[in-house]
Amino acid sequence: MASKLAIFGGEPAIPSNTFYPWPPITEVDEQYVLASLRGANHAFGPNCVAFEQEFAAWNGNTFAITTNSGTAALHMCVAACNCSEGDEVIVTAYSWSSSATCILHHNCIPVFVDIDWETMNIDIDKIEAAISPKTKAIIVVHLHGLAVDMAKVLDLAHKHGLKVIEDACQAHGAKFNGKKVGTLGDCAAFSFNQNKNLCSGEGGMFVTDDEGIAATARMLWSFGETRSPVEVRDYHAYALGWMYRNNDLTAAFGRAQLTRLDTYLAWQSHNAQELTRNLQGLTNVILPTVPEGHEHNWYNYVLRFDMDALGHSADASLFRHKIVRALKAEGLETAVWQSFILPKMTVFQAKNAYGYGTPWSSPHARAVDYSVEQYPVAQKHSDTHTCLVFSQRYPNPTGTVELVAAAIWKVMDHIEQLEMLPAA
Ligand SMILES: Cc1ncc(COP(=O)(O)O)c(C=O)c1O
């Protein structure tokens, strides 16, 4: 292996055009989408109905409602769990913004809990201390495709009479104790946006096994009506509703991708295991681990750099960006997924979502504290990580994974060269 890093003019470890684009598009996708295009209903049409049925069957849910985003499905979860103005919902301190803004969408108050370093998910041992008389629900985010330990969460929720919402937006097919995510809590949200393992461009799915929860979610989904557009409607707004419905073209695309989802998931799981095998013995890089009883879907393969050992604990994020740039020069695009932990984001620090300080200023709300020192593990994770998103995905072969590993080995074996690299 050449010793000069590509960022300083050396030969890149990975030739250009090595990676396949995501998602793979075949004649099946073309057939489904063209049939929808040539059909008579491009709004909530027959493909939406079929997509709901097929996804519910694939995941093992009784009810599924397809939406125009995962965020819409998350808001439906919060509403369907009967959360009201000023109620508190517990959520992880590290996730996509809408894992927590969905709580604000319903005038409720997010209460953040730090993450567990090993799993990168909410630290279950810290949830109980965050429960107050105002707490109504816990949102668990199965981050990067690794399920939260649902046995412990469900025990806590049962003890305190709380609802459990699963943010499964990244976790299609991930399992806990043999059960798929989305079947473990009271209701769940999936995303089908561009990067997701089931991609339809944009889109999402709300799922539950509870008829009452499904009925409340459906009202929010479509203008406060109680019936879906394929039923006989009375066009009456029975409650405050949004327009969160999916459309037929997107659903057709989603259906076509769903026919291959199991193949995708098995493929990337194999590749992730190969990557871990190829990275064994690498120093200063912390590899992801899978606790007993969990089946990871490997949506993201997360690398963390041991900044203490590298002598960069004081400027961890800056040095991590240098490593990311060096990997990119070697031909390996990685993603610093969240540079800001959730409570640090301005939308929460400003405590003013809808003007006049609402919902935090609501007479129904209790004062909450978002000082960022409460989330040291999330901050450390945010400062030291980068994600491999596409390199393990179908149909990248094992040989590609070996190239990925070679690029990481090369940069880490010559890490001292990065000391000379100016900050971007
Ligand atoms: C963990 C998580 N929650 C929620 C979302 C929101 O999904 P969407 O972009 O479909 O609204 C995403 C993805 O973007 C996500 O990764």
Side-chain angles (χ1 to χ4, degrees), residues 69-71 74 95-96 98-99 141 167 169-170 191 193 196 203 337:
S69 71
T71 303
L74 277 172
S95 183
W96 184 249
S98 65
S99 301
V141 185
D167 179 342
C169 284
Q170 301 187 348
S191 167
N193 92 339
K196 298 299 188 286
W337 185 63

Side-chain angles (χ1 to χ4, degrees), residues 120 275-276 279-282 285-289 301-304:
M120 306 172 229
L275 187 57
T276 298
L279 293 176
Q280 287 308 311
L282 190 64
V285 178
I286 301 151
L287 301 179
T289 53
Y301 189 104
V302 184
L303 304 173
R304 271 119 28 116

Side-chain angles (χ1 to χ4, degrees), residues 269-298:
S269 172
H270 171 78
N271 274 350
Q273 279 158 43
E274 280 301 301
L275 187 57
T276 298
R277 203 171 59 78
N278 278 276
L279 293 176
Q280 287 308 311
L282 190 64
T283 49
N284 301 330
V285 178
I286 301 151
L287 301 179
T289 53
V290 184
E292 188 103 7
H294 292 248
E295 229 173 273
H296 206 307
N297 84 350
W298 297 105

